[in-house]
Amino acid sequence: GFFQSYAVEVDIKDASNATCLYADWMMRFLITYESNKGDYKNTTLNLPSNVTHNGSVCGNDTQPALVAVQFGEGHSWSINLTKTNETYQGDFITLTYNTNDTAVFPDAKRKGLVTVLVKDLSPPVQLNTVYVCHNSFSIEAENTTQIFWNVTMQAFIQNGTVSKKESRCAGDTPTSAPTVRPTIANVTTAPTTTLPPAPTPPKPVENPDTGNYSLKSGNKTCFLASVGLQLNVSQDKPLLININPKTTVADGACGNTTATLKLNDGNSTLIGF
């Protein structure tokens, strides 16, 4: 096949041995890494036939559900899902790959585990509904592209049975109306039409204000960013959002070889560097 990956199936049971979380999907990862020569190379991380799912949990009203899989030479992937009164939704996706795997990263300069954390932007799904997406979709973050297809997933399953009610992703939904071929009637009697007025161009969005964000390790500043941030969100229509430094809180941590800065603007918008 085009994708050299195996399907993953996870069926998590609760204390009464009833299915509480079910997922069946395919995925692969495209990763850019630095070689010992100082240049950057692209590699593909595929799933083998033997995958474990240690650490997966059902979740409840207060605890997120977790789908966690481990594969290959120290690689792992997980997604946690949260529940409301009526819906459930993916929260964060975590990919950890091991550059000590010489079959995938034959000459990687950086050795060890690399973790990529990304927000899941999928829309919420109604409870007692299974999420289905046959078409492929991808998530890009920190030199990685995560590709998913043939996804079937339901969290917080009731009565131990996967629902027959489906919520389809946008890629599985036809977007164009069927073509109507002309007939004699609508060709010979077509009225003269007037073109609608041109749409008013949207009001331009001003440049974002510059914010100063910092992290401390002990008494010392270990991360400093002075930046203006604007999000360009393309869904039903393009939407520009300026991040307001006055309402944005900085969080994160500094390590020996990596540092993470997380910005939350008070409207649940999270940006990570």
Side-chain angles (χ1 to χ4, degrees):
F2 178 71
F3 294 117
Q4 302 295 322
S5 265
Y6 287 87
V8 185
E9 184 177 28
V10 177
D11 188 346
I12 307 301
K13 308 287 186 179
D14 60 17
S16 62
N17 202 35
T19 297
C20 60
L21 190 157
Y22 179 82
D24 187 344
W25 77 103
M26 300 186 75
M27 62 182 176
R28 71 197 293 245
F29 310 101
L30 309 180
I31 302 172
T32 301
Y33 68 98
E34 185 178 5
S35 73
N36 289 319
K37 296 180 180 179
D39 59 344
Y40 287 85
K41 294 186 176 181
N42 298 319
T43 189
T44 302
L45 179 58
N46 294 309
L47 265 68
S49 57
N50 53 333
V51 174
T52 59
H53 51 82
N54 300 324
S56 298
V57 294
C58 296
N60 50 42
D61 291 340
T62 58
Q63 180 186 10
L66 178 68
V67 178
V69 296
Q70 304 83 35
F71 56 97
E73 300 296 325
H75 313 295
S76 62
W77 180 92
S78 66
I79 180 172
N80 65 319
L81 304 103
T82 54
K83 176 185 176 184
T84 66
N85 291 332
E86 299 180 351
T87 64
Y88 65 92
Q89 184 175 19
D91 191 6
F92 283 98
I93 294 174
T94 304
L95 167 66
T96 298
Y97 58 92
N98 184 13
T99 57
N100 286 323
D101 185 351
T102 56
V104 182
F105 307 95
D107 55 351
K109 180 178 181 180
R110 176 183 177 183
K111 298 295 184 180
L113 300 177
V114 181
T115 298
V116 178
L117 180 68
V118 60
K119 179 74 173 177
D120 181 13
L121 299 179
S122 301
V125 180
Q126 291 291 319
L127 290 175
N128 198 32
T129 303
V130 60
Y131 175 76
V132 177
C133 191
H134 294 307
N135 277 274
S136 64
F137 60 95
S138 61
I139 300 175
E140 297 183 12
E142 301 182 32
N143 296 325
T144 67
T145 300
Q146 304 182 41
I147 305 174
F148 308 89
W149 69 103
N150 288 348
V151 177
T152 299
M153 180 180 292
Q154 183 179 353
F156 308 101
I157 295 175
Q158 303 171 13
N159 302 321
T161 304
V162 177
S163 175
K164 297 185 181 298
K165 182 180 179 182
E166 294 183 352
S167 174
R168 289 288 187 136
C169 65
D172 285 3
T173 305
T175 57
S176 58
T179 302
V180 179
R181 297 186 178 276
T183 63
I184 295 176
N186 63 32
V187 169
T188 58
T189 63
T192 302
T193 58
T194 303
L195 293 176
T200 303
K203 182 180 178 180
V205 177
E206 297 179 356
N207 289 334
D209 294 332
T210 300
N212 296 310
Y213 312 102
S214 62
L215 300 176
K216 287 186 177 295
S217 178
N219 295 325
K220 296 183 179 180
T221 299
C222 60
F223 197 123
L224 178 64
S226 178
V227 60
L229 293 170
Q230 183 181 88
L231 303 183
N232 187 336
V233 183
S234 298
Q235 292 182 341
D236 296 334
K237 59 181 179 179
L239 176 64
L240 296 180
I241 304 173
N242 285 341
I243 302 302
N244 184 359
K246 296 179 180 179
T247 61
T248 300
V249 178
D251 190 12
C254 297
N256 293 330
T257 59
T258 61
T260 301
L261 175 68
K262 298 179 180 180
L263 303 180
N264 191 329
D265 74 345
N267 293 319
S268 299
T269 300
L270 183 67
I271 305 174
F273 298 91

